[in-house]
Amino acid sequence: MRRADLNLLIALDVLLAEGNVARAARRLHLSASAMSRTLARLRESTGDPLLVRAGRAMVPTPRALELRELAGPLVEQAEALLKPVAPIDLGTLERTFTVRAGDGFVDNFGAALVARVRGAAPGVMLCFLPKADQDRDALREGRIDLETGIVTASAAPELRVQALFRDRFIGVMRAGHPMAATRMTVRRYARMDHIALARRGSSFGPVDEALQAQGLRRNVAATVGGFSAALALARGSDMIATVPERHTGNLRGEMASFTLPLDVPGMTVSMMWHPRQQADQGHRWLRDCVREVCGAS
């Protein structure tokens, strides 16, 4: 089946509006002969003469009158479709953005992000989802709009990524801990009771690798699934937790912290989104909000 030449739609609209080949040619910046050839193609496509001579003028056929009512709105819709999108009005924007983030991000940046978003766009709601499900296709399938965290090798290669901040790991213990006033050495650190994060079935991580390089291993007393749980245990016991500094700023409260006595690589917290959202004005504004909040905290 031969596909219709949609380029003829504009010519049809102008021809039927003018009812004259010469005037239509001038509007479309074509020669009269080129416009006549276009009319011939339109007649062939529609199976109707469209314009017929009546004395010295040309008059539309009944089919042409029907098409004249349809062609104009279609051309207007096509032109609107291909125009750049008008700037969004944040004051009237009504939309829900779904953001997947770890507990540390929500606890430390969530309130400021909601305030920043709602202050400019009262009709926008943020829906935070936990990262526990590790659903790798959520961004690709559009079930979430944005994700924050550490980019891993398993991330979909087409995702857009932008770094938000660099974080370092620190040690944390409860206020009044017996070791709070003691200089922390690597051997003392290893001997203490540790709260380790257990993800993907293993609690062995960068801290363990750094200790192993020095022939040491830490004494793990408990494992948890997130930084907030690790801090809660440390706050109520003599165990210590090793957590990212900025990512847990609002969670540590009055707890004592110390610089790790060994070199543990830091982490880069980024935001990720699917390319389909790259040019979306609302999504672009949300990304700007996230950058501003993380940069100011």
Side-chain angles (χ1 to χ4, degrees), residues 88-95 120-123:
I88 60 172
D89 180 358
L90 294 177
T92 60
L93 180 64
E94 293 188 0
R95 189 166 173 180

Side-chain angles (χ1 to χ4, degrees), residues 191-245:
R191 285 197 303 267
M192 295 183 72
D193 290 338
H194 287 256
I195 304 160
L197 261 67
R199 291 177 174 171
R200 299 179 182 89
S202 174
S203 62
F204 190 89
V207 171
D208 303 285
E209 292 176 357
L211 286 170
Q212 190 177 67
Q214 299 192 37
L216 299 170
R217 58 181 297 179
R218 61 176 170 170
N219 179 33
V220 176
T223 61
V224 293
F227 298 128
S228 59
L231 291 169
L233 283 181
R235 187 178 288 109
S237 70
D238 282 341
M239 294 184 288
I240 65 170
T242 301
V243 298
E245 184 175 28

Side-chain angles (χ1 to χ4, degrees), residues 244-259:
E245 184 175 28
R246 287 194 64 193
H247 214 61
T248 60
N250 288 346
L251 295 174
R252 287 182 277 114
E254 301 300 320
M255 298 180 73
S257 61
F258 58 91
T259 301

Side-chain angles (χ1 to χ4, degrees), residues 24-97:
R26 284 194 294 271
R27 277 186 58 180
L28 294 174
H29 305 290
L30 296 173
S31 65
S33 59
M35 195 71 247
S36 294
R37 290 194 296 272
T38 300
L39 176 57
R41 293 177 61 197
L42 283 167
R43 285 169 170 165
E44 180 183 359
S45 295
T46 61
D48 189 270
L50 299 176
L51 295 173
V52 295
R53 190 162 295 282
R56 300 183 62 180
M58 299 191 77
V59 295
T61 65
R63 174 61 174 156
L65 293 175
E66 294 176 4
L67 293 176
R68 187 167 63 185
E69 299 300 318
L70 298 173
L74 284 174
V75 171
E76 291 178 2
Q77 291 175 30
E79 290 176 342
L81 184 68
L82 298 176
K83 287 180 179 178
V85 179
I88 60 172
D89 180 358
L90 294 177
T92 60
L93 180 64
E94 293 188 0
R95 189 166 173 180
T96 297
F97 291 105

